[in-house]
Amino acid sequence: MSTDCLQELENALGRAAIVRDEDRAQYDVDWRGHLHGRSLAVVCPSRVEDVGETIRIAKRHQVSVVPQGGNTGLAGGATPDSTGGQLVLCTRRLNRIRGIDLLGNFITVDAGCILQNVQDAALSHDRLFPLSLAAQGSCTIGGNLATNAGGNAVLRYGNMRELCVGIEAVDAHGRLIGDLKCLRKNNTGYSLRDLLIGSEGTLGIITGAALRLFPRPFAHATALVKCANIEHALQLLGVLRAHCADFLSGVEWMSNGSLSNVSTQFPDTRMPPGFDESCLCLVELSGSTPPGLLDDILASALDQAIASGFAADAALASSLAERDAFWTLRERLPLAEARCRSLKHDVSLPAGNMGEFVAHLEGYLSSMTERCAWAGFGHLGDGNLHANVLIPDAMPNALCDRIDEFVYGEVLRLGGSISAEHGIGSRKNNLLHQALDVASLQAMQAVKNALDPHNLFNPGKLLFN
Amino acid sequence: MSTDCLQELENALGRAAIVRDEDRAQYDVDWRGHLHGRSLAVVCPSRVEDVGETIRIAKRHQVSVVPQGGNTGLAGGATPDSTGGQLVLCTRRLNRIRGIDLLGNFITVDAGCILQNVQDAALSHDRLFPLSLAAQGSCTIGGNLATNAGGNAVLRYGNMRELCVGIEAVDAHGRLIGDLKCLRKNNTGYSLRDLLIGSEGTLGIITGAALRLFPRPFAHATALVKCANIEHALQLLGVLRAHCADFLSGVEWMSNGSLSNVSTQFPDTRMPPGFDESCLCLVELSGSTPPGLLDDILASALDQAIASGFAADAALASSLAERDAFWTLRERLPLAEARCRSLKHDVSLPAGNMGEFVAHLEGYLSSMTERCAWAGFGHLGDGNLHANVLIPDAMPNALCDRIDEFVYGEVLRLGGSISAEHGIGSRKNNLLHQALDVASLQAMQAVKNALDPHNLFNPGKLLFN
């Protein structure tokens, strides 16, 4: 049965489009190496029509399909199960920039385009595509849409949902749905676009997208700010919002735990004098303004934050090299963490409850006999914490589960979200039942059944079936 | 049967919550007086629980429900059919501001809150709720969400979809779905919020919303700019984007036809000298900047637009009174139109095709023997044209239909949208079949059937059933 399916796929798409045997190993495991699946084969269509053909063939053979872009996901959404019966549909050969509308400020791309290539295409026309995240050199636009990716510039430009005006996708019958109209306002029926965004490949296969572009800001002001704790950092954010709102493009928070891990893992890391052993905020303004203006505005706001006691000290980047050094510090946080054993928790919280959450978690960790270290960081301006915990190599899984339970329990108790920007995938779908009420879950399940009646698309991800 | 239904509703919600007989006349007709329906009765719940109870009772009696907020819609979405068998569910008594989160910058409101009251509540805390449109003194947040309303500030702040982070709604079983979490990032399952936004009451009854707030900008720069035609206006927009992007909050376009109608209907209208008989753009920058800066930035950009030949002249508002006068001109466009017989067309177009669209429509109108006048205006920064046409009182409906057909045919041919910000309602659902492909329509219908299996919610609106 499955051999017939592969033969049909090979006949339809060509031999080169099907990856079998050992060659598919890289597709069968997530990039952190935590989740190991086993696919029937990997299909790599190079044309949108071939995605439709793949789905029609898969449907006929009752073989389910796991879409995969850059395979950089953190929630297991792109890894096949271990049955050997699922097809991985790799979109990486769908990688054309279809067009740029410079008058309207839109770019239309294939879903398999790598994020950085889209950023570069925009820059080559003096435009900004603002989505920016650690995996941008390998993650794809389709995956960014499927998880509603966030990253470093959401505060100013919004997450992937807000950057996308049109989606083209293949439905459960192998037909195209949606549209790629380059329009800022388009209200014609239910927003299939917004239904597909964040659906993690469970409702259809995204093949193309129309995305917004922005003027490229040519001025920046960047500072590293020392804050006593996350509550002070939130007050700092309030001062920045009041004084720099037109330009505020990033407020990244780094706990002292996350920073000392960077110093341990990257001994060449240099901090401004006196900035060790503290929480820091990386603050950035950007705009199309006369030289010096942003530095003046930021310096004045930081003076006020220091005078109010919300910031202990601040270092304004005085050169491009210094700005790069500040951002390198931020970028090294996940890289340093990847060299350790850690528990990742991508959560968001109401601003007013963040301090309580961090204090409770630190208290809980210090009460454990194992040496677990709080190493949180995150996009403070969006209320998004990566509430990560470094754990000993030998810690038993049951203890890991207890920390996870504590974190998600606190997040829900404090009105937060168990999934901010990484998705639900196969790692969090058991939590979805705690996070949502029965009626909302049933509504989601009804939508899933309506659009994917044969459960063809990424079963077992996001929802349970 | 329907008498039983009303009796049950009266028992459950109290006599005062049910409007019958002649008193319901204002609810049975749209505000323009074009669509006349006949409801069974009007239900006015004052508590969210009563909305659930209304739906449960309506479901038991197989009576469908037409939600209505301020009854200011332009597409007929809130008017009952003429059978006398539908309940109008008026949300206006659900009008509490539930809370404001000043640290996180969110406001949580009942769906029946009037837009202006929400704007005022934000202002009283020195915050901006940016949605701004002509009907703001009477339209409700629920209606704004149901139609994904746009208005004058979309260019900078986005439409209602982008301003909303959470929705609470009553489903087809009378249960609450969704959530009102005040979080910028929350990806837990499919976005029921985005499915409900723009669904015009056909998937559930929105009862509450969590909305984003912004710092209140205290500086403005406003100008009236004379452009030869819409293509020059679009080039002006490009110059403004390149030079004032951080502050650009409105670029409103007014055709000479729309402006001469204002002069006719409001003889006290004053224009800056030499600004008659031309297309105009109203341009506004806003921000939290030192005094004078925005004026300087705008003046410099306008100088460049004039030097490049995209603008013929520009008048910068030198006082608050002058700023108000410029905006009064803009606000009088729909008021002047309401005093005439007109055909409204709320459409959007790719920027590159707007000039062709306007030229073709003007050509078509001038070829008619009836004296029809092009009186378009719109939110140029969003590609949104109100491509309205003034028509003689005696013009036969068949001719009106021909103009509509021409307009929508051109819009679709040029890659535009037949509905930008007013919705589909009962006036455009026949057009939806031209605008969308069969697979997308079937996907929407499947979602409708899944979430509203008994066709309880606003049947005959948006989709056909």
Side-chain angles (χ1 to χ4, degrees), chain B residues 205-266:
Chain B
I205 311 287
I206 297 171
T207 54
L211 306 170
R212 296 180 63 195
L213 297 178
F214 294 82
R216 187 173 67 83
F218 45 80
H220 298 273
T222 312
L224 216 48
V225 188
K226 204 171 140 176
C227 293
N229 52 46
I230 199 167
E231 275 159 332
H232 280 205
L234 284 161
Q235 296 293 341
L236 165 69
L237 175 62
V239 172
L240 293 168
R241 277 209 174 104
H243 290 81
C244 323
D246 304 312
F247 307 106
L248 198 58
S249 53
V251 179
E252 296 291 306
W253 181 77
M254 308 178 263
S255 69
N256 48 0
S258 70
L259 287 164
S260 35
N261 193 41
V262 168
S263 301
T264 311
Q265 303 295 335
F266 296 94

Side-chain angles (χ1 to χ4, degrees), chain B residues 206-403:
Chain B
I206 297 171
T207 54
L211 306 170
R212 296 180 63 195
L213 297 178
F214 294 82
R216 187 173 67 83
F218 45 80
H220 298 273
T222 312
L224 216 48
V225 188
K226 204 171 140 176
C227 293
N229 52 46
I230 199 167
E231 275 159 332
H232 280 205
L234 284 161
Q235 296 293 341
L236 165 69
L237 175 62
V239 172
L240 293 168
R241 277 209 174 104
H243 290 81
C244 323
D246 304 312
F247 307 106
L248 198 58
S249 53
V251 179
E252 296 291 306
W253 181 77
M254 308 178 263
S255 69
N256 48 0
S258 70
L259 287 164
S260 35
N261 193 41
V262 168
S263 301
T264 311
Q265 303 295 335
F266 296 94
D268 66 330
T269 302
R270 291 286 162 272
M271 296 277 214
F275 275 59
D276 305 299
E277 308 293 323
S278 178
C279 300
L280 299 181
C281 276
L282 173 57
V283 176
E284 187 156 275
L285 309 188
S286 59
S288 308
T289 54
L293 179 66
L294 293 189
D295 278 335
D296 291 350
I297 291 175
L298 182 54
S300 146
L302 292 176
D303 281 349
Q304 183 162 338
I306 291 171
S308 310
F310 305 139
D313 199 357
L316 205 67
S318 60
S319 66
L320 203 57
E322 211 166 0
R323 182 181 169 224
D324 285 346
F326 290 176
W327 274 107
T328 299
L329 191 62
R330 170 63 182 83
E331 283 153 13
R332 281 182 170 178
L333 298 180
L335 300 175
E337 191 190 308
R339 298 181 178 186
C340 313
R341 190 166 174 220
S342 73
L343 300 175
K344 284 183 184 291
H345 308 106
D346 165 48
V347 302
S348 65
L349 285 149
N353 295 342
M354 277 197 171
E356 183 175 343
F357 172 80
V358 170
H360 282 198
L361 179 53
E362 288 187 307
Y364 182 82
L365 294 175
S366 67
S367 75
M368 295 181 71
T369 46
E370 291 74 15
R371 283 198 50 185
C372 299
W374 166 236
F377 58 96
H379 315 293
L380 193 75
D382 317 318
N384 180 190
L385 272 191
H386 298 308
N388 300 349
V389 177
L390 304 179
I391 55 171
D393 285 338
M395 195 157 94
N397 286 337
L399 272 184
C400 298
D401 292 347
R402 268 181 35 203
I403 296 178

Side-chain angles (χ1 to χ4, degrees), chain A residues 271-453:
Chain A
M271 296 276 215
F275 275 58
D276 305 300
E277 308 293 322
S278 178
C279 299
L280 299 181
C281 275
L282 174 57
V283 175
E284 187 156 276
L285 309 188
S286 59
S288 309
T289 55
L293 178 67
L294 292 190
D295 278 333
D296 291 349
I297 291 174
L298 183 54
S300 145
L302 292 176
D303 282 348
Q304 183 164 337
I306 290 170
S308 311
F310 304 141
D313 198 358
L316 205 66
S318 59
S319 66
L320 203 58
E322 212 167 359
R323 183 182 169 226
D324 285 346
F326 291 176
W327 275 107
T328 298
L329 192 63
R330 170 64 183 82
E331 283 154 12
R332 281 182 170 179
L333 297 179
L335 300 176
E337 192 192 307
R339 297 182 179 186
C340 313
R341 193 170 172 217
S342 73
L343 300 175
K344 284 183 184 293
H345 307 107
D346 165 47
V347 303
S348 65
L349 286 148
N353 295 342
M354 275 197 175
E356 183 177 341
F357 171 80
V358 171
H360 282 197
L361 180 53
E362 287 186 309
Y364 181 81
L365 294 176
S366 67
S367 76
M368 294 180 73
T369 47
E370 289 74 16
R371 286 197 49 185
C372 298
W374 165 237
F377 59 95
H379 314 294
L380 193 76
D382 317 318
N384 180 189
L385 272 190
H386 298 309
N388 300 349
V389 178
L390 304 179
I391 56 171
D393 285 338
M395 195 159 93
N397 286 337
L399 273 183
C400 298
D401 292 347
R402 271 180 35 204
I403 296 177
D404 289 352
E405 265 170 48
F406 181 85
V407 166
Y408 295 122
E410 282 293 287
V411 164
L412 291 175
R413 188 181 69 79
L414 293 167
S417 169
I418 58 156
S419 173
E421 59 174 14
H422 293 171
I424 299 291
S426 61
R427 300 181 71 92
K428 286 187 175 175
N429 51 9
N430 58 329
L431 288 168
L432 209 59
H433 292 249
Q434 291 173 48
L436 299 176
D437 58 278
V438 172
S440 295
L441 267 174
Q442 286 179 352
M444 291 180 194
Q445 190 65 58
V447 169
K448 167 74 174 174
N449 297 346
L451 297 185
D452 184 22

Side-chain angles (χ1 to χ4, degrees), chain B residues 54 76 87 104 195 245 301 376 411 435 442:
Chain B
T54 302
L87 284 175
L195 199 49
V411 164
Q442 287 180 351

Side-chain angles (χ1 to χ4, degrees), chain A residues 105 148 154 156 175 178 181 184-187 190 202 241 246 288 348 384 416-417 419-421 440 442, chain B residues 105 148 154 156 175 178 181 184-187 190 202 246 288 348 382 384 416-417 419-421 440 442:
Chain A
N105 285 293
N148 188 17
V154 173
R156 175 145 188 195
R175 304 174 304 184
K181 288 187 173 179
R184 188 89 168 79
K185 290 181 177 171
N186 180 9
N187 284 298
Y190 307 142
T202 64
R241 276 210 174 102
D246 303 314
S288 309
S348 65
N384 180 189
S417 169
S419 173
E421 59 174 14
S440 295
Q442 286 179 352
Chain B
N105 286 294
N148 188 19
V154 173
R156 174 142 188 197
R175 305 174 303 183
K181 289 187 173 178
R184 188 89 168 81
K185 290 182 177 170
N186 181 9
N187 283 299
Y190 306 142
T202 63
D246 304 312
S288 308
S348 65
D382 317 318
N384 180 190
S417 169
S419 173
E421 59 175 13
S440 295
Q442 287 180 351

Side-chain angles (χ1 to χ4, degrees), chain B residues 119 122-123 126-131 157 212-217:
Chain B
Q119 294 169 344
L123 277 181
D126 208 29
R127 297 292 192 280
L128 174 76
F129 180 65
L131 192 77
Y157 297 100
R212 296 180 63 195
L213 297 178
F214 294 82
R216 187 173 67 83

